[in-house]
Amino acid sequence: QIGIFIAFLELFALRQDKDRMPGDLTGAGRLGLPFFLVGGKSGPCDAVSSERSLNAELNNGRLAMLAIVGMISQNGFLGTTGASMWIPGAAFDKELGATMPFKYFDPLGLASDGDAGAFRRRRAAEIKNGRVAMWACMGYITPEYFRWPGYLSPSANLKFTDVPNGVAALSKVPAEGWAQIGIFIAFLELFALRQDKDRMPGDLTGA
């Protein structure tokens, strides 16, 4: 029945006429009112006077398409799209980060067990990864406008200006360069930016 009804809409009631602008259907009026249910027809849309509402419809429609894909995907993988996933958890709903509109954001329910130690570890990781992500955004954008002078690898005759932007740069950096980056990250993790147990997550002695 649903399939037959959809076919009826596509073939008759909501069929797109060639002489009308996209989305301007004879069987539906302003705000999509179903005139076809009472045998009526809507007149042509005035694109000039309706420009604001038409732009709003396009933008909201694009957002709705993304939203329904996200809700269906979430439901398929995690089993629910109910309001319970957005309700603050009882254990940590007063912690920093519990802000509007999501309040305590934990869609996977990782902190539902109320384990304070696990929450502290995840919060420290969240703050650290967030800081890295903010620097990464700057690092992704800056090379579009500025490059260091000189060579990235003199032995490979590779200049900074020879390295492409974005993901393509991953294959251009020599293995020795990645080794240096890895060692520097390990130094930060183990010493300079190590999280002390007696300080709040993200409050580091080296920063």
Side-chain angles (χ1 to χ4, degrees), residues 5 11 18-19 31 42 48 86 127 131 138 156 186 203:
F5 181 64
L11 295 174
K18 294 182 179 180
D19 59 344
L31 302 178
S42 68
V48 176
W86 309 111
I127 294 173
R131 291 168 176 169
M138 295 300 298
D203 183 18

Side-chain angles (χ1 to χ4, degrees), residues 120-130 201:
R120 175 183 170 83
R121 184 180 68 255
R122 294 192 188 103
R123 175 51 55 88
E126 178 186 22
I127 294 173
K128 184 180 295 184
N129 290 332

